[in-house]
Amino acid sequence: FGSRRPPSTRQPHPRPLSRPSRLVRAMGIDIEAGGRVKSKARVTKSANPYIRLLCKLYKFLARRTDSKFNKVIFKRLNMTRKSKPPLSLQKLAKLMAGKDGKIAVVVGPVTDDKRLYEVPKLSVCALRFTETARASIVKAGGECLTFDKLALRSPLGKGTVLLRGPVKARAAERHFGKAPGVPHSKTAPHVRAKGRKFEKARGKRSSRGYKV
């Protein structure tokens, strides 16, 4: 009746740490209008070892020199095939008129043009030359350079003319833009055939209501 329990040896349970206030948990990132600017440069997906080696070479030159030319070449080497359009020999000769002694640089293929009867003497550096284009340039006393030879001859891009083919000349570009049929739209519609029965009625001729 008068016996007492021995004192407990158990330690008291520690109190949990105080949780952060609701104000702290609700905080976010202060982003200005327009969102964050993503500056991740595109890297080529090409499996061609020569393209990859050129990318390494011009990445080094772009980093170690102050030349903007090397930065542009490095960026264009990493572009998609769509963004490296071919340049014809006729257009090349026209753009290089009056630029004697300079090297034309094209990050893309150079193709032949049968409409050009007299090919001038040209020094051209490109990713690729068609057989007939190379034969025409060499026959006229010119030279066809690769980008590794260009890096040795002109590491800073001095004495060069940077050219580019027509990026928007693809057939698919005709269908991009404002919707076909909208006023002042020059976009070509996707139709099965170009005949009398295919999207030639109302809106396409003045005799059929109106013409856009």
Side-chain angles (χ1 to χ4, degrees), residues 57-58 61 70 125 146-156:
L57 171 64
Y58 275 92
L61 289 172
N70 289 328
C125 173
T146 53
F147 276 94
D148 52 331
K149 288 180 182 176
L150 179 72
L152 290 170
R153 190 179 293 192
S154 179
L156 298 177

Side-chain angles (χ1 to χ4, degrees), residues 18-184:
S18 59
R19 293 181 179 178
S21 64
R22 294 185 68 182
L23 180 66
V24 176
R25 282 186 294 168
M27 282 177 65
I29 304 167
D30 188 15
I31 301 174
E32 293 181 11
R36 276 180 270 180
V37 178
K38 294 183 179 178
S39 59
K40 189 178 179 183
R42 188 186 186 276
V43 180
T44 184
K45 294 182 178 66
S46 173
N48 188 333
Y50 299 107
I51 296 286
R52 289 191 172 274
L53 284 169
L54 285 177
C55 287
K56 286 183 77 171
L57 171 64
Y58 275 92
K59 185 178 183 180
F60 173 80
L61 289 172
R63 189 178 75 247
R64 295 297 297 270
T65 62
D66 294 328
S67 171
K68 192 179 177 184
F69 173 84
N70 289 328
K71 290 179 176 62
V72 173
I73 295 291
F74 173 60
K75 186 179 178 182
R76 290 191 185 179
L77 283 169
N78 279 296
M79 283 183 176
T80 58
R81 189 176 170 186
K82 175 179 78 85
S83 300
K84 291 186 283 192
L87 188 66
S88 71
L89 207 54
Q90 187 188 41
K91 189 77 173 176
L92 186 66
K94 185 180 177 182
L95 293 168
M96 291 300 290
K99 297 182 175 71
D100 298 331
K102 296 207 171 185
I103 303 169
V105 181
V106 184
V107 185
V110 170
T111 55
D112 193 25
D113 200 330
K114 297 293 181 187
R115 296 169 295 181
L116 187 66
Y117 296 118
E118 292 182 12
V119 180
K121 185 180 178 181
L122 296 166
S123 291
V124 189
C125 173
L127 280 179
R128 190 171 66 83
F129 296 88
T130 60
E131 287 183 18
T132 48
R134 187 187 292 275
S136 300
I137 293 168
V138 172
K139 187 180 177 182
E143 57 180 342
C144 301
L145 299 170
T146 53
F147 276 94
D148 52 331
K149 288 180 182 176
L150 179 72
L152 290 170
R153 190 179 293 192
S154 179
L156 298 177
K158 288 180 181 177
T160 60
V161 180
L162 189 57
L163 303 173
R164 200 174 181 191
V167 181
K168 301 281 185 181
R170 296 186 310 140
E173 294 284 344
R174 295 176 63 246
H175 303 286
F176 300 157
K178 292 175 75 176
V182 173
H184 311 295

